[in-house]
Amino acid sequence: MTFDFPAPLLALESRAWEEIQAGRLTVATAHAVHAGVAEYAEASGVARYDVEMGLKQAVRHGES
C-alpha cells in the first residue's frame, strides 16, 4: 500500500524515531504521532494500523 503522507506527519514520526533511538521518547511526542495517524487514517479511509506501519516504513526505511 502506498501513502502520500503530509509533511507535518512525517516530521512528527521522524521526531519520535529520533527520540526512540536516543532512549527519550516523550508521552507528548507519542500522543502527537498517534493523533496524527488516527486523523490520517480516518480521512483516508484506511485502517489505523496500516497507516502507522506505512508511516514507520516511510520514515525508518525511506519508503512510502
Side-chain angles (χ1 to χ4, degrees):
M1 187 171 287
T2 302
F3 297 98
D4 184 21
F5 293 116
L9 185 54
L10 288 167
L12 275 173
E13 179 61 28
S14 292
R15 183 168 123 203
W17 181 231
E18 289 170 5
E19 289 181 13
I20 289 167
Q21 290 179 304
R24 56 177 180 79
L25 177 64
T26 65
V27 172
T29 300
H31 276 276
V33 171
H34 179 78
V37 165
E39 182 179 320
Y40 184 90
E42 185 175 334
S44 64
V46 177
R48 187 199 57 78
Y49 176 82
D50 293 333
V51 171
E52 184 175 348
M53 292 301 102
L55 183 61
K56 288 177 188 289
Q57 185 75 18
V59 168
R60 298 176 186 191
H61 303 288
E63 301 169 13
S64 55

